[in-house]
Each structure stands twice: as structure tokens, then as C-alpha cells.
Amino acid sequence: MDDSLVTIVGSSYFEPISVLLERLEKYDRGNSNEVQAGYYVNGFASAVCILAVVCLESYVMRVRYMNKATKKEIDKVSVPVYLKKLYQDFPFEDELFEIHIVRDALAHNHLWEVSYSWDDEKAMILRSVNKWSSGDDKYQRYVDPNNLTKKLRLNVSPIKVGRSDAISVLQTMWKILIFLEQKNQNQCYVSHLRAVHKGELRQFGEIVGMPDTCSGAGVQSASLIEELTR
């Protein structure tokens, strides 16, 4: 018997994200400074940010598929613009643009020239920054003169991205996924999903620090579960 599926990675990212969060917590010792986050913290936090946005985009591709998006909408319309067009009450457009700015800064390694000095306690003191590589229009709209996004206050300098940025990006991703689930579980059903974290199987919303989004998830029919894997 023939069968079919669509190639959505989606929740397969949850387990790797959970592992990265554990390692991030292990290395976070509050040793970030004005110039950069800690070496390990920056690496794990950056990886969480990138995977979180990629995970979201995977689900949004399913949303496009389920809503029969045109080829132009798939190829030319960005995720924030598409979701706002699809749902006029979508409340996270600004936040979504901001997490994409951070993803772009990391994935494309936007380059900064940073001048700094050392104080008496051998701490790095920021003197000046110059953005050497340019971002696109959304950078100008959503980033303030302190090199932070305006709403979520995310660091846009790649080496400054740390634990607080990773958590904020991850929680924004999760809020958007829950919004999409509430609109239509056939296009995005995540509130019931779990991953192993610190040796325990936990709901993913709890892992990202938003347990309230997991409550009342309910048990779905086998036919719906089967549909969501296609």
C-alpha cells in the first residue's frame, strides 16, 4: 500500500535543544562582560538561538503547506510577514522579526570591530563598536543604538549572545507555536510533546520555562497523531 508524508523536522529539534540547555546551564557562571559572553556560554546559547528559530520555521512551513500557500508566498514572503497576513490577530510580529535578526547575526556571523580596555581587576571594558558587515532593513527597524533589539532586548553582537538571549528566543518560539496550535492543531500540535531534560522526561513547555502552556493539552485521537507525522 502506498503512503506519503511531508518532510517537516519540527519537534525533532526539541531533544537537541534540551541537551544544549543543560550544557548552557552547566557553563553559565556569570562571567559575561561588556564585550562578550563566556566562551562556552556563547557557543551553547548561540546554538540554542539558531535551532529555536530553525525549529519554528520548520513548523511554519507546515502551516504554509496546510494553508495551501502559493509558491510566491513560500519563496518570497518572510515568516513574520506571512503569519501576520494569515492571522490578523498574530501578536508576535515584532518579536519574530527580532529573533530572526539574532539568527541572521549568528548564522551569517555579522562582523563587528570592537575596541576595549582592561580595568584593574582584569575585566574587559567596552570602548566602542563598529558594525563592519551590514544587516538588512529589519536591523535598522528593530535594533537600538545600544545594539539590543527594541522589544526583547536581545544582543545582536554575535559574541555577546548569552543565556538570557537563548531563553528569550526559545520562549518566543514556544509562544508562537502555541498560538499556531490554538488556531489549528492540524497545522501545529506541540503542547503535549516531551523531551528528556536532566534525566527526566518533561513537557517541552516546562523545559523552556513556560509550563502554563502545557496545561490541559488533553489526549488526541490516533488519527490526528498519524496526520501530524505526515
Side-chain angles (χ1 to χ4, degrees), residues 35-111:
V35 177
Q36 61 187 6
Y39 176 79
Y40 291 109
V41 169
N42 180 235
F44 285 113
S46 297
V48 169
C49 290
I50 291 171
L51 278 189
V53 178
V54 170
C55 177
L56 175 59
E57 290 193 337
S58 180
Y59 275 106
V60 173
M61 184 57 75
R62 179 177 175 82
V63 171
R64 295 183 200 256
Y65 176 79
M66 296 294 291
N67 288 279
K68 297 180 170 55
T70 64
K71 187 177 187 304
K72 181 179 179 180
E73 287 176 320
I74 294 172
D75 294 341
K76 303 294 185 181
V77 180
S78 68
V79 170
V81 173
Y82 175 77
L83 290 182
K84 188 63 176 181
K85 179 182 177 183
L86 182 63
Y87 297 116
Q88 294 300 307
D89 61 338
F90 179 65
F92 305 115
E93 184 179 15
D94 290 343
E95 293 91 333
L96 188 47
F97 270 115
E98 290 187 4
I99 67 174
H100 273 86
I101 287 170
V102 174
R103 188 280 308 271
D104 290 351
L106 294 168
H108 305 301
N109 203 129
H110 290 173
L111 195 62

Side-chain angles (χ1 to χ4, degrees), residues 77-183:
V77 180
S78 68
V79 170
V81 173
Y82 175 77
L83 290 182
K84 188 63 176 181
K85 179 182 177 183
L86 182 63
Y87 297 116
Q88 294 300 307
D89 61 338
F90 179 65
F92 305 115
E93 184 179 15
D94 290 343
E95 293 91 333
L96 188 47
F97 270 115
E98 290 187 4
I99 67 174
H100 273 86
I101 287 170
V102 174
R103 188 280 308 271
D104 290 351
L106 294 168
H108 305 301
N109 203 129
H110 290 173
L111 195 62
W112 297 69
E113 294 175 331
V114 180
S115 297
Y116 64 92
S117 60
W118 301 91
D119 66 13
D120 293 338
E121 298 178 355
K122 301 299 183 182
M124 299 172 75
I125 306 299
L126 182 67
R127 294 304 180 193
S128 66
V129 293
N130 175 48
K131 192 170 189 298
W132 186 79
S133 60
S134 60
D136 55 19
D137 291 343
K138 63 179 179 289
Y139 184 92
Q140 307 302 325
R141 290 166 53 197
Y142 291 102
V143 178
D144 70 14
N146 295 314
N147 303 316
L148 298 169
T149 63
K150 294 177 179 178
K151 180 165 282 190
L152 295 176
R153 312 304 292 165
L154 301 171
N155 285 292
V156 295
S157 171
I159 62 172
K160 275 283 288 178
V161 172
R163 187 172 184 271
S164 64
D165 301 301
I167 297 302
S168 185
V169 170
L170 198 53
Q171 291 184 343
T172 299
M173 173 208 79
W174 188 247
K175 287 189 290 187
I176 293 170
L177 291 180
I178 294 299
F179 173 88
L180 295 174
E181 175 180 304
Q182 291 171 345
K183 289 297 184 181

